[in-house]
Amino acid sequence: MIPFTVEEYHGRLTQTKLRMQQKGLDVLLITDPANMNYLSGYDGWSFYVDQMLIVSLDRVQPIWIGRKMDANAAKVTTWLYEDNILSYPEDHIHSQERHPMEFIAGVLQQLGLATCRIGLEMASYYFSALAYEKLKKSLPDARFQDASLLVNHVRLIKSNQEIDYIRRAAKIAAIGMQSAITSIQEGVRECDAAATIFKHLISGTDEFGGDYPSIVPLLPAGKNTSTPHLTWTDRYYTENEIVIIELAGCHRRYHAPMARTLSLGRPSEEVTETSKILVEGLNTAIEAVKPGATCEDVEMAWRKVISKYGIEKDSRMGYSVGVGYPPDWGEHTASIRQGDQTILQPNMTFHMIPGLWFDDYGVEISETIRVTETGCEVLTEFQRELIIKDQIDIAI
Amino acid sequence: MIPFTVEEYHGRLTQTKLRMQQKGLDVLLITDPANMNYLSGYDGWSFYVDQMLIVSLDRVQPIWIGRKMDANAAKVTTWLYEDNILSYPEDHIHSQERHPMEFIAGVLQQLGLATCRIGLEMASYYFSALAYEKLKKSLPDARFQDASLLVNHVRLIKSNQEIDYIRRAAKIAAIGMQSAITSIQEGVRECDAAATIFKHLISGTDEFGGDYPSIVPLLPAGKNTSTPHLTWTDRYYTENEIVIIELAGCHRRYHAPMARTLSLGRPSEEVTETSKILVEGLNTAIEAVKPGATCEDVEMAWRKVISKYGIEKDSRMGYSVGVGYPPDWGEHTASIRQGDQTILQPNMTFHMIPGLWFDDYGVEISETIRVTETGCEVLTEFQRELIIKDQIDIAI
């Protein structure tokens, strides 16, 4: 069952083709798995080999090309006619003699597209420098142009069905966060807490299941909260340490990320203070979200709060979020930061993540939000303030 | 705590530098997160932004360069002196104006390496075509050369400590597989089975925890077993369907993958027959593994068995496995297939995965093995034959 109507896919394609025309492109070669999913529905863990969606202005449907053993996955998960699902032979996999891009170039030639103006997703994770070189060499008469993020920009404003999936993801995120708060305590191994979180994120609710998030739960603890992207070990949690939990619920590849900071035992004064500042800043930024405001307006609201307390933060405090595959759930388009003049519009969705990291500790508290017709809706529902598990709680 | 002795890292670096000299390289820029981990210990979910390890013939330690907020993660997880941990400013993240490779080029200039012979991992997932272009433009006098898989080839023969980690991963894989067999049954949602598997893979054993595998559990069911890389949905399992379970235990980033095929209810005759052929072929291939044999010798042993039954398979039946990050646990070096003349040596490790996929069903049964001094050791321990959960079992 594809997750959207065929009409919705056609609408996305129309938007994509409009942007292609604006950029003077005849053909767009899509290698970002999130963009492949967005336009075709394709969903399989096969992005570790070369695969592609060909969008051509003169064709109604895109063409999927991937590895032979994955062609049936394309038949099952996409809305494309079987004629538009092509595959390259298995001897192209991790081969020193043959590269999938040579096969793909052959297909483009057969389609009469070898001398066209072709857009490439130059910044896509799974379009390697080698793939680029092979493609250029195999299509010497094509005129290539960087079309990174072209489809990502189409993704910026969500449909109601997409919002519905993100809402479900947000419910799953809250369940995952509750399981984290419950399971993390002195004497428990980090891996066992991570295992419990995973179980809840993947089970989801009785009504809908969870999908794998594009990033695993991030669980820095103690001094390691000074950096955000550590996962877990088999160390035991100790008394009086803080733990940052960043996770996402995911449903049909749509994400709702959320972060909270947990204190085992009474937090230090500086953690308490930093958390309060962070929540005040986050609340103020959320209040600044409304159609017509820019991303940098929202960041300014946050910045004003923290600078009142003498804190500077150079990393962005949010980014657009939606459909995604590992290694990232961010859309790489709009960021909530200085200089980003993206104008907010209804049904844009952001992960607002104002982390503050110092030399020997850090605090992260974040929400996934939707821009509404008049303001902002926070999709992730969970106690926003620093969460304290005191011995009294543990005794209960 | 870094997972290996500093001496072991030095040994890996020495091997890497030897290969660099053989290729006429002064400098190697490493962007594959598995290779970064292998040489430095670095472990964080930060590979969704540009990061790199610079190995220079004239320097004892590599230099780590990543995003500012990840520098503390490098301090915590690597064996490098803090002087060798550099970072680029946050305004380089997903920016249209600034690219991290421009910053990195500046570092190479300061180090006097801008006119050197520089090796690049052109086929690495996270070294984008755009990063390549930016780097070339910023270092017009450098002489670049493709050095894809240079470090991967160093990784091919494992140390005893690495084998120990893979052994632990294999124990975790068996626990995960048992949880899959127990939880998958008629009336259970696929996502709930996946959740249970995740929980066990991440918790690991009482003695050691699990890490996140580079690929999530793959769970095609029913007709979808005709293709290997589908994950799960919130559909309920029905009676009389087959389910392929492919998963890996992971410990300290080292993997032991394993696949089994499960039949809910009595399997069809063709599934029973295919499974028997597959196990016979796998057993025969395992018997062919010994130092001095080549990868293609092993494949030939497998091929002979299946061709006896009139089956042809064009995909490889195994590949080298070890340390890894999403999206893949394979090492991309030796493959068990025709034409691969890699000579087997003790402490090479392979995922032997002879899947057979037909139009409307498929069977996969796989093991992780180690080449020993005299033959082959199967590291993953679990009933190899088709696993049948009949109504009688369910009643128990």
Side-chain angles (χ1 to χ4, degrees), chain A residues 50 99 101 126-136, chain B residues 122:
Chain A
D50 291 279
H99 196 281
M101 286 300 154
Y126 302 115
F127 181 58
S128 69
L130 184 65
Y132 173 51
E133 290 290 301
K134 294 285 182 187
L135 195 63
K136 272 200 305 188
Chain B
M122 295 286 288

Side-chain angles (χ1 to χ4, degrees), chain B residues 5-121:
Chain B
T5 62
V6 171
E7 288 67 38
E8 184 154 348
Y9 288 110
H10 276 297
R12 296 169 178 188
L13 261 181
T14 302
Q15 292 295 318
T16 300
K17 288 180 177 176
L18 261 174
R19 284 173 186 267
M20 287 168 61
Q21 283 172 318
Q22 285 161 6
K23 279 184 80 88
L25 294 172
D26 308 306
V27 175
L28 178 61
L29 304 185
I30 294 165
T31 45
D32 177 333
N35 290 340
M36 289 180 69
N37 174 294
Y38 185 73
L39 293 180
S40 75
Y42 183 69
D43 184 28
W45 191 291
S46 56
F47 40 89
Y48 68 95
V49 296
D50 291 280
Q51 53 185 19
M52 182 184 279
L53 211 60
I54 302 173
V55 176
S56 168
L57 286 187
D58 63 1
R59 296 182 69 93
V60 176
Q61 289 198 350
I63 292 171
W64 183 96
I65 307 184
R67 180 184 186 176
K68 186 182 165 195
M69 66 169 70
D70 295 318
N72 274 352
K75 289 176 193 166
V76 170
T77 60
T78 73
W79 61 280
L80 308 180
Y81 299 144
E82 291 203 6
D83 284 357
N84 290 326
I85 293 168
L86 306 178
S87 63
Y88 57 81
E90 288 293 331
D91 62 5
H92 284 56
I93 297 298
H94 302 158
S95 163
Q96 300 306 305
E97 290 87 42
R98 285 166 292 274
H99 196 281
M101 286 300 155
E102 294 159 356
F103 181 92
I104 290 170
V107 170
L108 289 165
Q109 256 148 2
Q110 281 169 23
L111 293 171
L113 304 174
T115 59
C116 285
R117 294 164 300 180
I118 298 177
L120 299 174
E121 295 187 315

Side-chain angles (χ1 to χ4, degrees), chain A residues 208-219:
Chain A
F208 45 83
D211 210 341
Y212 58 89
S214 292
I215 305 178
V216 297
L218 300 170
L219 293 168

Side-chain angles (χ1 to χ4, degrees), chain B residues 208-336:
Chain B
F208 45 83
D211 211 340
Y212 59 89
S214 291
I215 305 178
V216 297
L218 300 170
L219 294 169
K223 276 190 74 164
N224 289 352
T225 54
S226 64
T227 185
H229 298 125
L230 294 170
T231 51
W232 58 86
T233 69
D234 40 21
R235 187 185 74 93
Y236 292 83
Y237 289 108
T238 62
E239 58 180 342
N240 293 322
E241 66 181 355
I242 53 169
V243 184
I244 290 176
I245 303 142
E246 184 180 348
L247 52 76
C250 183
H251 183 74
R252 307 210 83 162
R253 306 300 329 133
Y254 282 81
H255 291 78
M258 169 164 48
R260 289 294 182 272
T261 301
L262 169 67
S263 173
L264 297 180
R266 288 259 157 260
S268 69
E269 216 166 289
E270 60 187 351
V271 167
T272 306
E273 279 313 300
T274 304
S275 306
K276 279 187 187 159
I277 294 166
L278 199 151
V279 170
E280 183 186 339
L282 177 57
N283 291 346
T284 310
I286 286 170
E287 281 165 27
V289 171
K290 60 180 179 198
T294 63
C295 282
E296 68 174 3
D297 291 342
V298 176
E299 202 269 351
M300 182 56 77
W302 149 259
R303 178 183 297 266
K304 272 189 186 158
V305 171
I306 59 171
S307 63
K308 205 170 66 181
Y309 297 99
I311 298 176
E312 280 182 37
K313 177 185 150 78
D314 51 5
S315 56
R316 60 189 180 169
M317 69 82 71
Y319 50 81
S320 185
V321 73
V323 66
Y325 282 87
D328 198 6
W329 54 47
E331 295 189 315
H332 298 197
T333 48
S335 286
I336 309 287

Side-chain angles (χ1 to χ4, degrees), chain A residues 61-256:
Chain A
Q61 289 199 350
I63 293 171
W64 183 96
I65 307 184
R67 181 183 186 177
K68 185 182 166 196
M69 65 168 71
D70 296 317
N72 274 352
K75 289 176 193 167
V76 170
T77 61
T78 72
W79 61 280
L80 308 180
Y81 299 144
E82 292 203 7
D83 284 355
N84 290 325
I85 294 169
L86 306 179
S87 62
Y88 56 82
E90 288 293 332
D91 61 7
H92 285 56
I93 296 298
H94 301 158
S95 162
Q96 300 306 304
E97 291 86 42
R98 287 166 292 273
H99 196 281
M101 286 300 154
E102 294 160 356
F103 180 93
I104 289 170
V107 171
L108 288 164
Q109 255 149 3
Q110 281 168 22
L111 294 170
L113 303 174
T115 60
C116 286
R117 293 164 301 179
I118 299 177
L120 299 174
E121 296 187 314
M122 296 287 286
S124 159
Y125 292 115
Y126 302 115
F127 181 58
S128 69
L130 184 65
Y132 173 51
E133 290 290 301
K134 294 285 182 187
L135 195 63
K136 272 200 305 188
K137 204 173 160 193
S138 307
L139 292 174
D141 299 323
R143 285 158 290 165
F144 291 108
Q145 195 178 318
D146 187 7
S148 296
L149 305 182
L150 187 150
V151 180
N152 304 53
H153 278 285
V154 178
R155 285 161 43 193
L156 202 47
I157 297 176
K158 274 70 184 172
S159 71
N160 290 336
Q161 182 65 72
E162 289 181 288
I163 294 291
D164 185 45
Y165 290 151
I166 297 175
R167 267 187 220 291
R168 292 183 187 192
K171 287 217 172 81
I172 294 170
I175 291 168
M177 188 58 74
Q178 185 56 56
S179 78
I181 302 301
T182 306
S183 60
I184 296 173
Q185 59 185 57
E186 186 191 339
V188 167
R189 294 187 306 176
E190 293 178 7
C191 60
D192 291 320
T196 302
I197 296 167
F198 259 117
K199 181 175 192 315
H200 286 86
L201 292 179
I202 305 300
S203 263
T205 75
D206 288 346
E207 294 92 57
F208 45 83
D211 210 341
Y212 58 89
S214 292
I215 305 178
V216 297
L218 300 170
L219 293 168
K223 277 190 71 163
N224 289 352
T225 54
S226 63
T227 186
H229 299 124
L230 294 171
T231 51
W232 59 86
T233 69
D234 40 20
R235 187 186 74 93
Y236 291 84
Y237 289 108
T238 62
E239 58 180 341
N240 294 320
E241 65 180 355
I242 53 170
V243 184
I244 290 175
I245 304 140
E246 184 180 348
L247 53 75
C250 184
H251 183 73
R252 307 211 83 162
R253 307 300 326 132
Y254 282 80
H255 291 79

